[in-house]
Amino acid sequence: MFEEIEHTADYAVRVRGTDLRELFVEAARGMNALTGGRPGQPSRCRELVLEAPDAETLLVSWLEELVFLMEVEGEIVDQFEILGLTPTSLKARLTGGPAVDVDKAVKAVTFHELAIRETGDGYETTIVFDV
Amino acid sequence: MVDRSAFGKISEYVWEVPRSFRDDMRVPARLYASSEMLGAAISDKTAQQLVNMATLPGAVRWAAAMPDAHQGYGFCIGGVLATRLPDGVISPGGVGYDINCGVRLLRSELEQEAVGPHMQELMTSIDRKCPSGVGKGGKLRITGKELDQLLVEGAGWALKKGYARPEDLERTESGGRIAGALPSKLSPRAKNRGVPQVGTLGAGNHFVEVDVVEEVLDEEASSAFGLWPGQVVVQIHTGSRGLGHQVASDYVKRFQGAVRKYGIRLPDRELVCAPFDSPEGKDYFGAMCAAANYAFSNRQVLTHWVRQSFQEILSAHTSDWDLHQVYDIAHNIAKVETHSVDGEEVKLCVHRKGATRAFGPGFGELPAEYRSVGQPVLVPGSMGTASWVMVGTERSMELSFGSSCHGAGRSMSRTKAKKTVWGSDLLKQLEGEGIVVRAGSMAGLAEEAPVAYKDVDMVVEVVHNIGLARKVARLRPLGVMKG
């Protein structure tokens, strides 16, 4: 699950997941929700492989891929199939389509106080976005 | 936690957290604010972020926050930090994502009465000519090679292409081109984001606004800047678009490794930094200068199109439709400058994040007509409220490395603003006040509601009273175009 939390200048989202896979998927859904957009037709599928030195950097890289797709390809992804995930690597299949009804742009994903914490129920983090 | 007790009062409007407050602080942290503004800085994370800034290696004198400061990420917005070269650090998070986001002021020779009857058509024309909004590309088609030239030449590229006049560049910070740009230090992704967006406004808080000079408070400076009561002027607020954001994203990520390499310990990963003269520092500075040049060029191309709109709508009614540049300043940037520290002239890397340069009289870079009064400091207010033109002072050199505020500063979160204000209601309210609005998104409009910002008049009052900059003229909006 994700919830938007208060930030004076930009956007912040608190994300929880029972495991890292759910955390990454919910983070992507949370970011999509901020933009207000949805994918139109035709749908498009692509695979993504990422590596990073730690889980937080991997999370930022994952979300940055979606920012880039939105801005350069004009595409929103709303189906995230995680094929493999460790704290330093990710393989996923993304399905989306041309962005429709976007009224807010997420321009960048920050590292501000970014830490993925283990909780009794799984994982939790808060992500601040530049808008 | 940084609470009220951490701040000592140095003098009226000057508050300081001493270096002894936290072991990792290298310099004190100073906030220029009224008592009320201090309360606001403590209630969100502004004060915390200001104290965090003071931990960066090589920091000199103090970390400073301007009166419009508010919570950001890494640095607070309104933050100024200078590090001593060559080994003091440069921090991509200390510049921010929208590298060289800035403001340009253009003046007409027209009175409000001459433009007023045509404001609807004028704002429609500006809205049509200046591409804006989420994900909107521009009208220019440039190649990758041209982009590399633009990244080196800045507004000079626009001059070569016929989008500028020589005097526009003379009246732009650093002449519209920062030396040291290295296009090879930008990722292909940054360039991909930059190619289609030259000459675009973007969304968020970016705007083109037509204003009237409501009041002049400094005759000498306003005369030098060519401003007079009743005059119609234009502000353009935008930056380096997706290209700048990608440069920042790339280097904040790369610098996560650099802090480990150089053994730098920081309280927030967004503050990552590297010694200025390290390979990482040099690469970022080269890329940042390129992004800054992109922003100068971007505002210049938009200027050309706003001039076209003035010609299209007003030339049938007057021969005096033209717009002349007053000044263009950056408010997200790191610059190499020489300042006096403890009686010694030293080279510094001055980070200004949500803060503008505000150099006083005698500064050699200024055009001759401004040199005796000082650099224009442009302070846009929130949508529908006043904006200010100020002038830099000598005193700002002692207080803030020659820096001042960049706007009103937010006081309410976007989330709360969206819940508090309906975009369509705000539109009606602004139109009721006689302001012509062209907005791409009602949700976006609501987030930028005046109620979400501090009172710009109060911010400017504090800036003026401390001496960071001096009041010159107050502007009132007639029309605004937002993405």
Side-chain angles (χ1 to χ4, degrees):
Chain A
M1 63 159 287
F2 63 85
E3 59 179 325
E4 196 178 331
I5 61 169
E6 298 271 320
H7 186 284
T8 312
D10 288 285
Y11 278 145
V13 174
R14 183 179 297 132
V15 189
R16 295 188 181 93
T18 51
D19 55 20
L20 269 185
R21 284 175 186 236
E22 192 178 331
L23 186 85
F24 272 56
V25 169
E26 287 300 305
R29 289 197 175 127
M31 190 175 79
N32 275 355
L34 297 176
T35 69
R38 60 185 171 82
Q41 290 297 325
S43 69
R44 185 166 174 192
C45 189
R46 64 179 84 221
E47 281 206 359
L48 175 69
V49 177
L50 293 171
E51 289 189 356
D54 55 56
E56 285 82 6
T57 308
L58 190 66
L59 179 63
V60 169
S61 298
W62 160 247
L63 297 172
E64 276 180 354
E65 288 293 326
L66 305 176
V67 169
F68 185 76
L69 273 179
M70 168 94 97
E71 188 170 306
V72 176
E73 306 288 339
E75 198 175 312
I76 289 190
V77 174
D78 69 339
Q79 292 174 51
F80 310 93
E81 191 185 344
I82 307 280
L83 304 171
L85 180 63
T86 72
T88 58
S89 69
L90 175 148
K91 187 173 180 190
R93 186 174 295 123
L94 310 176
T95 309
V100 179
D101 294 339
V102 177
D103 59 17
K104 282 299 300 179
V106 168
K107 298 173 185 169
V109 186
T110 81
F111 275 85
H112 178 48
E113 296 181 343
L114 185 63
I116 297 175
R117 288 172 295 276
E118 278 197 68
T119 64
D121 305 323
Y123 293 91
E124 181 188 299
T125 194
T126 298
I127 309 158
V128 176
F129 299 94
D130 180 274
V131 297
Chain B
M1 184 70 185
V2 181
D3 61 20
R4 176 70 183 75
S5 65
F7 284 89
K9 188 170 184 175
I10 301 292
S11 59
E12 186 71 9
Y13 302 125
V14 182
W15 311 85
E16 188 174 285
V17 178
R19 189 181 166 184
S20 57
F21 175 71
R22 234 171 55 187
D23 287 346
D24 59 350
M25 289 174 73
R26 294 170 192 266
V27 288
R30 262 199 185 197
L31 175 65
Y32 298 114
S34 64
S35 180
E36 195 184 332
M37 290 166 182
L38 170 65
I42 289 162
S43 68
D44 64 10
K45 289 184 177 170
T46 312
Q48 177 83 51
Q49 292 173 346
L50 171 62
V51 167
N52 288 347
M53 285 162 56
T55 67
L56 265 60
V60 296
R61 202 184 290 161
W62 46 65
M66 303 297 106
D68 58 332
H70 61 80
Q71 179 185 352
Y73 32 77
F75 278 41
C76 62
I77 309 299
V80 176
L81 185 84
T83 57
R84 186 187 291 258
L85 299 187
D87 52 351
V89 297
I90 184 165
S91 169
V95 172
Y97 286 85
D98 194 355
I99 295 166
N100 188 7
C101 187
V103 184
R104 175 172 294 216
L105 179 67
L106 307 164
R107 62 180 173 81
S108 75
E109 290 301 323
L110 297 170
E111 295 193 14
Q112 183 187 350
E113 289 69 27
V115 180
H118 312 291
M119 276 302 295
Q120 292 286 350
E121 297 161 86
L122 185 62
M123 294 313 297
T124 299
S125 174
I126 290 172
D127 189 30
R128 216 177 53 235
K129 287 187 189 293
C130 299
S132 67
V134 177
K136 295 289 191 311
K139 301 185 283 190
L140 296 189
R141 296 287 168 262
I142 65 166
T143 63
K145 194 176 165 192
E146 279 180 302
L147 179 70
D148 281 357
Q149 288 166 359
L150 180 157
L151 294 173
V152 171
E153 296 167 12
W157 178 87
L159 180 65
K160 253 179 19 192
K161 296 286 177 181
Y163 298 113
R165 301 168 185 167
E167 58 268 30
D168 296 342
L169 275 60
E170 288 162 19
R171 295 174 176 201
T172 299
E173 179 173 341
S174 298
R177 173 188 181 271
I178 300 181
L182 299 171
S184 63
K185 300 303 177 187
L186 273 70
S187 66
R189 258 184 191 202
K191 292 182 181 180
N192 281 343
R193 288 176 79 170
V195 162
Q197 294 182 337
V198 180
T200 64
L201 192 65
N205 62 356
H206 295 159
F207 61 78
V208 177
E209 188 171 280
V210 177
D211 302 281
V212 59
V213 178
E214 191 176 52
E215 189 184 6
V216 160
L217 294 105
D218 183 321
E219 291 289 345
E220 189 192 1
S222 60
S223 171
F225 299 162
L227 300 173
W228 38 268
Q231 177 187 29
V232 170
V233 296
V234 177
Q235 294 182 89
I236 300 173
H237 175 215
T238 188
S240 51
R241 310 285 286 108
L243 179 139
H245 281 81
Q246 192 64 47
V247 168
S249 294
D250 290 342
Y251 281 91
V252 169
K253 204 184 290 175
R254 181 173 165 196
F255 277 36
Q256 302 292 322
V259 288
R260 284 192 289 273
K261 178 177 168 185
Y262 297 106
I264 299 167
R265 290 178 65 85
L266 296 166
D268 179 0
R269 293 183 71 167
E270 190 67 18
L271 289 171
V272 285
C273 52
F276 189 88
D277 67 346
S278 68
E280 294 86 350
K282 285 177 184 165
D283 285 359
Y284 171 65
F285 186 68
M288 186 217 66
C289 290
N293 289 341
Y294 182 97
F296 283 131
S297 182
N298 191 31
R299 290 195 288 275
Q300 186 61 56
V301 173
L302 288 166
T303 298
H304 178 74
W305 287 327
V306 172
R307 280 179 173 143
Q308 280 189 348
S309 286
F310 267 65
Q311 180 176 21
E312 178 184 276
I313 304 303
L314 300 173
S315 61
H317 310 284
T318 172
S319 58
D320 245 349
W321 55 266
D322 203 4
L323 292 168
H324 309 277
Q325 183 137 318
V326 177
Y327 209 60
D328 179 303
I329 48 170
H331 53 228
N332 280 352
I333 204 154
K335 298 188 84 174
V336 176
E337 295 171 357
T338 301
H339 289 264
S340 175
V341 178
D342 301 329
E344 187 192 351
E345 295 292 301
V346 288
K347 260 193 172 177
L348 303 174
C349 175
V350 183
H351 299 73
R352 297 189 178 96
K353 184 176 184 183
T356 69
R357 195 181 70 178
F359 284 1
F363 175 44
E365 181 195 290
L366 292 174
E369 58 274 28
Y370 296 173
R371 212 167 290 148
S372 64
V373 293
Q375 179 213 302
V377 175
L378 310 176
V379 188
S382 55
M383 184 174 48
T385 66
S387 294
W388 285 85
V389 179
M390 306 186 81
V391 65
T393 62
E394 278 174 30
R395 178 110 175 92
S396 72
M397 291 304 197
E398 299 160 33
L399 295 171
S400 57
F401 304 99
S403 312
S404 183
C405 70
H406 83 310
R410 286 192 77 93
S411 59
M412 182 191 286
S413 74
R414 292 175 184 275
T415 315
K416 193 169 173 190
K418 274 190 295 187
K419 287 178 187 161
T420 310
V421 182
W422 282 104
S424 52
D425 290 347
L426 177 60
L427 180 62
K428 273 186 212 152
Q429 183 201 320
L430 293 170
E431 286 178 344
E433 291 167 15
I435 301 167
V436 180
V437 181
R438 298 288 180 267
S441 155
M442 283 300 118
L445 193 70
E447 288 185 14
E448 295 298 324
V451 70
Y453 283 81
K454 294 180 194 176
D455 179 345
V456 70
D457 292 342
M458 287 301 299
V459 168
V460 163
E461 191 66 27
V462 173
V463 167
H464 180 89
N465 285 333
I466 301 170
L468 292 168
R470 218 171 58 241
K471 292 180 192 175
V472 174
R474 188 174 191 268
L475 315 179
R476 178 168 56 79
L478 301 174
V480 62
M481 190 274 275
K482 295 186 66 66

